[in-house]
Amino acid sequence: MMELTRKGEYAIRGIIYLAQLPPGKVALISEIAEAAEVPQTFLAKILQSFAKIGIVKSFRGAGGGFTLGRSAEQITLREVVEAVEGPILPNRCLLGAGSCERDGTCGVHPVWREVQGKVVEVLDGVTIKELATRTK
């Protein structure tokens, strides 16, 4: 079953909160965690991983915290989900050639590929800006 983990849910909540802030505003991790109703230490790890790939920027020291790494219009829900959950895979056979001994003969494989394509399409079609606007 494809299901978003708690980590994925927390990541989405945190990034939506940052998207609702004025551009360039730096938010403390405690502020983000409280607003998103997410454990602070868990969210800090998520946001640090986002900083490594440019979804957010992190600042240390006095006045430190987090802000979006680029505009919310340029960040898709797929990017956020895959950053914490890994690639969208409804079945392990989609990991790549040879990941399933039946991948060349299985009649269901093309169906899983289609499911994957449609889920990716939906997630790519939603920006964090849209979600932030809906969530206010």
PDB file of all heavy atoms in Angstrom, residues 24-48:
ATOM      1  N   GLY A  24      11.502  35.672   2.149  1.00  0.00           N
ATOM      2  CA  GLY A  24      12.747  35.998   2.816  1.00  0.00           C
ATOM      3  C   GLY A  24      12.698  35.975   4.333  1.00  0.00           C
ATOM      4  O   GLY A  24      13.730  36.075   4.987  1.00  0.00           O
ATOM      5  N   LYS A  25      11.508  35.845   4.919  1.00  0.00           N
ATOM      6  CA  LYS A  25      11.403  35.798   6.384  1.00  0.00           C
ATOM      7  C   LYS A  25      12.014  34.501   6.874  1.00  0.00           C
ATOM      8  O   LYS A  25      11.741  33.431   6.366  1.00  0.00           O
ATOM      9  CB  LYS A  25       9.941  35.872   6.822  1.00  0.00           C
ATOM     10  CG  LYS A  25       9.716  35.492   8.287  1.00  0.00           C
ATOM     11  CD  LYS A  25       9.130  36.602   9.088  1.00  0.00           C
ATOM     12  CE  LYS A  25       8.722  36.247  10.489  1.00  0.00           C
ATOM     13  NZ  LYS A  25       9.628  35.551  11.342  1.00  0.00           N
ATOM     14  N   VAL A  26      12.867  34.612   7.885  1.00  0.00           N
ATOM     15  CA  VAL A  26      13.517  33.452   8.485  1.00  0.00           C
ATOM     16  C   VAL A  26      12.732  33.077   9.739  1.00  0.00           C
ATOM     17  O   VAL A  26      12.467  33.918  10.588  1.00  0.00           O
ATOM     18  CB  VAL A  26      14.989  33.757   8.832  1.00  0.00           C
ATOM     19  CG1 VAL A  26      15.632  32.578   9.538  1.00  0.00           C
ATOM     20  CG2 VAL A  26      15.767  34.121   7.569  1.00  0.00           C
ATOM     21  N   ALA A  27      12.351  31.811   9.833  1.00  0.00           N
ATOM     22  CA  ALA A  27      11.568  31.330  10.981  1.00  0.00           C
ATOM     23  C   ALA A  27      12.409  30.394  11.831  1.00  0.00           C
ATOM     24  O   ALA A  27      13.154  29.558  11.313  1.00  0.00           O
ATOM     25  CB  ALA A  27      10.322  30.599  10.493  1.00  0.00           C
ATOM     26  N   LEU A  28      12.279  30.549  13.128  1.00  0.00           N
ATOM     27  CA  LEU A  28      12.944  29.649  14.062  1.00  0.00           C
ATOM     28  C   LEU A  28      12.323  28.260  13.977  1.00  0.00           C
ATOM     29  O   LEU A  28      11.114  28.132  13.725  1.00  0.00           O
ATOM     30  CB  LEU A  28      12.802  30.168  15.488  1.00  0.00           C
ATOM     31  CG  LEU A  28      13.453  31.505  15.807  1.00  0.00           C
ATOM     32  CD1 LEU A  28      13.040  31.969  17.199  1.00  0.00           C
ATOM     33  CD2 LEU A  28      14.958  31.398  15.691  1.00  0.00           C
ATOM     34  N   ILE A  29      13.113  27.236  14.227  1.00  0.00           N
ATOM     35  CA  ILE A  29      12.590  25.869  14.188  1.00  0.00           C
ATOM     36  C   ILE A  29      11.470  25.698  15.208  1.00  0.00           C
ATOM     37  O   ILE A  29      10.472  25.019  14.931  1.00  0.00           O
ATOM     38  CB  ILE A  29      13.715  24.813  14.376  1.00  0.00           C
ATOM     39  CG1 ILE A  29      13.177  23.403  14.113  1.00  0.00           C
ATOM     40  CG2 ILE A  29      14.344  24.905  15.739  1.00  0.00           C
ATOM     41  CD1 ILE A  29      12.732  23.137  12.711  1.00  0.00           C
ATOM     42  N   SER A  30      11.578  26.336  16.359  1.00  0.00           N
ATOM     43  CA  SER A  30      10.531  26.225  17.381  1.00  0.00           C
ATOM     44  C   SER A  30       9.213  26.805  16.884  1.00  0.00           C
ATOM     45  O   SER A  30       8.145  26.254  17.144  1.00  0.00           O
ATOM     46  CB  SER A  30      10.964  26.914  18.675  1.00  0.00           C
ATOM     47  OG  SER A  30      11.274  28.271  18.434  1.00  0.00           O
ATOM     48  N   GLU A  31       9.293  27.901  16.153  1.00  0.00           N
ATOM     49  CA  GLU A  31       8.101  28.556  15.594  1.00  0.00           C
ATOM     50  C   GLU A  31       7.438  27.662  14.545  1.00  0.00           C
ATOM     51  O   GLU A  31       6.224  27.475  14.552  1.00  0.00           O
ATOM     52  CB  GLU A  31       8.542  29.881  14.964  1.00  0.00           C
ATOM     53  CG  GLU A  31       7.488  30.624  14.193  1.00  0.00           C
ATOM     54  CD  GLU A  31       8.084  31.820  13.438  1.00  0.00           C
ATOM     55  OE1 GLU A  31       9.179  32.305  13.793  1.00  0.00           O
ATOM     56  OE2 GLU A  31       7.435  32.241  12.468  1.00  0.00           O
ATOM     57  N   ILE A  32       8.245  27.100  13.664  1.00  0.00           N
ATOM     58  CA  ILE A  32       7.718  26.228  12.605  1.00  0.00           C
ATOM     59  C   ILE A  32       7.085  24.992  13.221  1.00  0.00           C
ATOM     60  O   ILE A  32       5.971  24.597  12.854  1.00  0.00           O
ATOM     61  CB  ILE A  32       8.832  25.815  11.618  1.00  0.00           C
ATOM     62  CG1 ILE A  32       9.519  27.038  11.018  1.00  0.00           C
ATOM     63  CG2 ILE A  32       8.269  24.921  10.515  1.00  0.00           C
ATOM     64  CD1 ILE A  32      10.846  26.722  10.338  1.00  0.00           C
ATOM     65  N   ALA A  33       7.790  24.380  14.159  1.00  0.00           N
ATOM     66  CA  ALA A  33       7.304  23.153  14.799  1.00  0.00           C
ATOM     67  C   ALA A  33       5.989  23.390  15.525  1.00  0.00           C
ATOM     68  O   ALA A  33       5.064  22.578  15.423  1.00  0.00           O
ATOM     69  CB  ALA A  33       8.352  22.613  15.765  1.00  0.00           C
ATOM     70  N   GLU A  34       5.896  24.494  16.232  1.00  0.00           N
ATOM     71  CA  GLU A  34       4.662  24.786  16.959  1.00  0.00           C
ATOM     72  C   GLU A  34       3.498  25.025  15.998  1.00  0.00           C
ATOM     73  O   GLU A  34       2.423  24.457  16.167  1.00  0.00           O
ATOM     74  CB  GLU A  34       4.855  26.018  17.849  1.00  0.00           C
ATOM     75  CG  GLU A  34       3.616  26.351  18.672  1.00  0.00           C
ATOM     76  CD  GLU A  34       3.817  27.551  19.574  1.00  0.00           C
ATOM     77  OE1 GLU A  34       4.967  27.878  19.912  1.00  0.00           O
ATOM     78  OE2 GLU A  34       2.802  28.165  19.942  1.00  0.00           O
ATOM     79  N   ALA A  35       3.734  25.825  14.972  1.00  0.00           N
ATOM     80  CA  ALA A  35       2.666  26.140  14.018  1.00  0.00           C
ATOM     81  C   ALA A  35       2.223  24.905  13.231  1.00  0.00           C
ATOM     82  O   ALA A  35       1.041  24.740  12.937  1.00  0.00           O
ATOM     83  CB  ALA A  35       3.124  27.233  13.060  1.00  0.00           C
ATOM     84  N   ALA A  36       3.172  24.039  12.898  1.00  0.00           N
ATOM     85  CA  ALA A  36       2.872  22.846  12.102  1.00  0.00           C
ATOM     86  C   ALA A  36       2.472  21.654  12.964  1.00  0.00           C
ATOM     87  O   ALA A  36       2.122  20.598  12.436  1.00  0.00           O
ATOM     88  CB  ALA A  36       4.083  22.480  11.245  1.00  0.00           C
ATOM     89  N   GLU A  37       2.546  21.828  14.290  1.00  0.00           N
ATOM     90  CA  GLU A  37       2.222  20.756  15.231  1.00  0.00           C
ATOM     91  C   GLU A  37       3.062  19.508  14.956  1.00  0.00           C
ATOM     92  O   GLU A  37       2.558  18.412  14.756  1.00  0.00           O
ATOM     93  CB  GLU A  37       0.726  20.440  15.207  1.00  0.00           C
ATOM     94  CG  GLU A  37      -0.138  21.618  15.598  1.00  0.00           C
ATOM     95  CD  GLU A  37      -1.627  21.344  15.506  1.00  0.00           C
ATOM     96  OE1 GLU A  37      -2.025  20.238  15.077  1.00  0.00           O
ATOM     97  OE2 GLU A  37      -2.385  22.253  15.856  1.00  0.00           O
ATOM     98  N   VAL A  38       4.385  19.750  14.948  1.00  0.00           N
ATOM     99  CA  VAL A  38       5.364  18.711  14.629  1.00  0.00           C
ATOM    100  C   VAL A  38       6.448  18.733  15.713  1.00  0.00           C
ATOM    101  O   VAL A  38       6.846  19.812  16.146  1.00  0.00           O
ATOM    102  CB  VAL A  38       5.993  19.010  13.244  1.00  0.00           C
ATOM    103  CG1 VAL A  38       7.121  18.064  12.935  1.00  0.00           C
ATOM    104  CG2 VAL A  38       4.933  18.967  12.149  1.00  0.00           C
ATOM    105  N   PRO A  39       6.939  17.569  16.159  1.00  0.00           N
ATOM    106  CA  PRO A  39       8.046  17.566  17.115  1.00  0.00           C
ATOM    107  C   PRO A  39       9.258  18.314  16.555  1.00  0.00           C
ATOM    108  O   PRO A  39       9.689  18.067  15.426  1.00  0.00           O
ATOM    109  CB  PRO A  39       8.358  16.077  17.298  1.00  0.00           C
ATOM    110  CG  PRO A  39       7.104  15.368  16.899  1.00  0.00           C
ATOM    111  CD  PRO A  39       6.486  16.214  15.823  1.00  0.00           C
ATOM    112  N   GLN A  40       9.788  19.211  17.349  1.00  0.00           N
ATOM    113  CA  GLN A  40      10.856  20.101  16.903  1.00  0.00           C
ATOM    114  C   GLN A  40      12.096  19.362  16.423  1.00  0.00           C
ATOM    115  O   GLN A  40      12.651  19.689  15.377  1.00  0.00           O
ATOM    116  CB  GLN A  40      11.215  21.059  18.046  1.00  0.00           C
ATOM    117  CG  GLN A  40      12.228  22.100  17.673  1.00  0.00           C
ATOM    118  CD  GLN A  40      12.427  23.125  18.772  1.00  0.00           C
ATOM    119  OE1 GLN A  40      11.482  23.494  19.447  1.00  0.00           O
ATOM    120  NE2 GLN A  40      13.655  23.573  18.950  1.00  0.00           N
ATOM    121  N   THR A  41      12.562  18.363  17.161  1.00  0.00           N
ATOM    122  CA  THR A  41      13.792  17.669  16.771  1.00  0.00           C
ATOM    123  C   THR A  41      13.610  16.900  15.462  1.00  0.00           C
ATOM    124  O   THR A  41      14.520  16.855  14.633  1.00  0.00           O
ATOM    125  CB  THR A  41      14.278  16.708  17.874  1.00  0.00           C
ATOM    126  OG1 THR A  41      13.225  15.822  18.227  1.00  0.00           O
ATOM    127  CG2 THR A  41      14.722  17.470  19.100  1.00  0.00           C
ATOM    128  N   PHE A  42      12.440  16.309  15.299  1.00  0.00           N
ATOM    129  CA  PHE A  42      12.156  15.562  14.063  1.00  0.00           C
ATOM    130  C   PHE A  42      12.109  16.525  12.879  1.00  0.00           C
ATOM    131  O   PHE A  42      12.699  16.288  11.826  1.00  0.00           O
ATOM    132  CB  PHE A  42      10.833  14.820  14.225  1.00  0.00           C
ATOM    133  CG  PHE A  42      10.606  13.689  13.250  1.00  0.00           C
ATOM    134  CD1 PHE A  42      11.594  13.231  12.399  1.00  0.00           C
ATOM    135  CD2 PHE A  42       9.370  13.071  13.202  1.00  0.00           C
ATOM    136  CE1 PHE A  42      11.361  12.186  11.520  1.00  0.00           C
ATOM    137  CE2 PHE A  42       9.122  12.023  12.326  1.00  0.00           C
ATOM    138  CZ  PHE A  42      10.125  11.585  11.475  1.00  0.00           C
ATOM    139  N   LEU A  43      11.429  17.651  13.058  1.00  0.00           N
ATOM    140  CA  LEU A  43      11.312  18.634  11.982  1.00  0.00           C
ATOM    141  C   LEU A  43      12.678  19.229  11.644  1.00  0.00           C
ATOM    142  O   LEU A  43      12.974  19.463  10.468  1.00  0.00           O
ATOM    143  CB  LEU A  43      10.329  19.737  12.369  1.00  0.00           C
ATOM    144  CG  LEU A  43      10.057  20.774  11.280  1.00  0.00           C
ATOM    145  CD1 LEU A  43       9.437  20.131  10.042  1.00  0.00           C
ATOM    146  CD2 LEU A  43       9.143  21.870  11.808  1.00  0.00           C
ATOM    147  N   ALA A  44      13.512  19.453  12.638  1.00  0.00           N
ATOM    148  CA  ALA A  44      14.849  20.004  12.386  1.00  0.00           C
ATOM    149  C   ALA A  44      15.642  19.093  11.452  1.00  0.00           C
ATOM    150  O   ALA A  44      16.309  19.569  10.530  1.00  0.00           O
ATOM    151  CB  ALA A  44      15.596  20.209  13.697  1.00  0.00           C
ATOM    152  N   LYS A  45      15.562  17.796  11.673  1.00  0.00           N
ATOM    153  CA  LYS A  45      16.266  16.843  10.806  1.00  0.00           C
ATOM    154  C   LYS A  45      15.718  16.889   9.380  1.00  0.00           C
ATOM    155  O   LYS A  45      16.476  16.843   8.411  1.00  0.00           O
ATOM    156  CB  LYS A  45      16.148  15.423  11.362  1.00  0.00           C
ATOM    157  CG  LYS A  45      16.942  15.218  12.627  1.00  0.00           C
ATOM    158  CD  LYS A  45      16.744  13.823  13.181  1.00  0.00           C
ATOM    159  CE  LYS A  45      17.455  13.674  14.510  1.00  0.00           C
ATOM    160  NZ  LYS A  45      17.231  12.381  15.122  1.00  0.00           N
ATOM    161  N   ILE A  46      14.413  16.979   9.256  1.00  0.00           N
ATOM    162  CA  ILE A  46      13.784  17.043   7.936  1.00  0.00           C
ATOM    163  C   ILE A  46      14.240  18.309   7.207  1.00  0.00           C
ATOM    164  O   ILE A  46      14.645  18.258   6.036  1.00  0.00           O
ATOM    165  CB  ILE A  46      12.242  17.006   8.054  1.00  0.00           C
ATOM    166  CG1 ILE A  46      11.778  15.646   8.570  1.00  0.00           C
ATOM    167  CG2 ILE A  46      11.589  17.338   6.711  1.00  0.00           C
ATOM    168  CD1 ILE A  46      10.309  15.601   8.995  1.00  0.00           C
ATOM    169  N   LEU A  47      14.181  19.439   7.894  1.00  0.00           N
ATOM    170  CA  LEU A  47      14.532  20.705   7.249  1.00  0.00           C
ATOM    171  C   LEU A  47      16.024  20.770   6.920  1.00  0.00           C
ATOM    172  O   LEU A  47      16.403  21.357   5.902  1.00  0.00           O
ATOM    173  CB  LEU A  47      14.097  21.885   8.114  1.00  0.00           C
ATOM    174  CG  LEU A  47      12.579  22.059   8.250  1.00  0.00           C
ATOM    175  CD1 LEU A  47      12.249  23.267   9.119  1.00  0.00           C
ATOM    176  CD2 LEU A  47      11.891  22.171   6.902  1.00  0.00           C
ATOM    177  N   GLN A  48      16.862  20.153   7.732  1.00  0.00           N
ATOM    178  CA  GLN A  48      18.292  20.105   7.396  1.00  0.00           C
ATOM    179  C   GLN A  48      18.512  19.300   6.114  1.00  0.00           C
ATOM    180  O   GLN A  48      19.342  19.673   5.285  1.00  0.00           O
ATOM    181  CB  GLN A  48      19.112  19.520   8.554  1.00  0.00           C
ATOM    182  CG  GLN A  48      19.295  20.457   9.717  1.00  0.00           C
ATOM    183  CD  GLN A  48      20.048  21.733   9.366  1.00  0.00           C
ATOM    184  OE1 GLN A  48      20.815  21.801   8.414  1.00  0.00           O
ATOM    185  NE2 GLN A  48      19.805  22.771  10.147  1.00  0.00           N
TER     186      GLN A  48
END
